[in-house]
Each structure stands twice: as C-alpha cells, then as structure tokens.
Amino acid sequence: MTRNRNDDTLAYGRMQPHSRELEDAVLGAVLTDSSCIDVVMNNLIVDDFYFEINQKIFQIYQSLIEKRHKIDLVTVVTERKILGFTDIVNVTDITTIANKVSSNANIESHIEYLKSDSIKRSLIQISTEAITQAFNDETDSIT
C-alpha cells in the first residue's frame, strides 16, 4: 500500500502514526553502513514505511539484495532507473537520506519504533473498516 502526504489524515481528523526522521535514519543507515543491511532487511517490510518515496527506496534495496549487488549510492541510483522509480525517487532524495545519518548506533531501536507505528496504522485501518461495516445497513452484523 503506497501513501502520499495527502493520505495523512483519517476521517477522524488525526494523523496516522509515522516518523519521517526514523524512516530516513533507517534507510540512510543502510546506505552508509553495510553492517546495518541485515538487521534492517530482516526486520522490516515495505509497508512498515509510511511515505511512498521510502517504500520505493526500500524496494530498491530489496532488488539489489536479490541480485546480490552491494547497496551504495551508485547502485541505488542505477537500480531506481531499472525499476522505473525515477518519477518518485530522485538522486537528491537519496543523497539527502544518506547525509542525514549521524549515527547507526541505535538502528535496532529505530526499527522497533517503525514497526510499532506500522502496527498501529494496521490496527487503525482494520478498526476503521470494521466501524464502516458496522454502520453499513447492508452488512450482516453477525458474520
């Protein structure tokens, strides 16, 4: 599921849980420190990222890993072209994420926070769908 900034609010007028800073820190850690690749890729999935651009960058990482290529600035920029993500992810976005990383020391904590936000968004989605169905007169409330 991809999300744009326009999708940030729910019918209840509240922001869905997310953190651009955490997402950028995790993705930047992978770009700047190869020791972070396994922990990030083994603990997160595309939908754990709220912003579409970060989902696409994560998909680029996945593609590079599947091809057994190294993840660095050059390979990421090249792979984004191959995957057709140039309209969503530009070179400046990638370099900005890489430059935002101050330390990779807390990568596990960052991942936990991202997972927590992702689970909360899933619960909100499921709950919203259940409420909508409950108010729908055509839906059998027993099933």
Side-chain angles (χ1 to χ4, degrees), residues 116-135:
S116 176
D117 282 350
S118 178
I119 291 167
K120 289 175 188 174
R121 288 192 305 270
S122 294
L123 290 172
I124 290 167
Q125 179 183 357
I126 291 166
S127 299
T128 301
E129 290 171 4
I131 290 167
T132 300
Q133 286 181 356
F135 280 111

Side-chain angles (χ1 to χ4, degrees), residues 11-12 127-142:
Y12 304 106
S127 299
T128 301
E129 290 171 4
I131 290 167
T132 300
Q133 286 181 356
F135 280 111
N136 186 350
D137 290 337
E138 296 174 11
T139 303
D140 184 3
S141 60
I142 304 291

Side-chain angles (χ1 to χ4, degrees), residues 6 33 46 52 103 112 121 132 140:
N6 296 338
D33 184 352
V46 171
E52 181 180 23
S103 170
E112 286 179 29
R121 288 192 305 270
T132 300
D140 184 3

Side-chain angles (χ1 to χ4, degrees), residues 42-105:
N42 290 332
N43 289 289
L44 294 174
I45 61 171
V46 171
D47 283 342
D48 289 332
F49 294 89
Y50 182 78
F51 294 95
E52 181 180 23
I53 186 172
N54 289 343
Q55 292 176 345
K56 297 300 183 192
I57 292 171
F58 189 79
Q59 288 175 318
I60 292 168
Y61 292 173
Q62 288 176 317
S63 179
L64 288 168
I65 289 169
E66 287 173 12
K67 295 176 180 180
R68 300 190 188 280
H69 293 167
K70 299 285 184 190
I71 295 177
D72 61 30
L73 188 58
V74 174
T75 58
V76 170
V77 168
T78 303
E79 192 68 14
R80 96 187 153 93
K81 291 178 189 174
I82 293 168
L83 296 176
F85 294 162
T86 55
D87 57 330
I88 299 167
V89 182
N90 63 50
V91 176
T92 305
D93 297 323
I94 298 166
T95 56
T96 299
I97 287 173
N99 291 332
K100 282 184 180 180
V101 178
S102 59
S103 170
N104 299 331

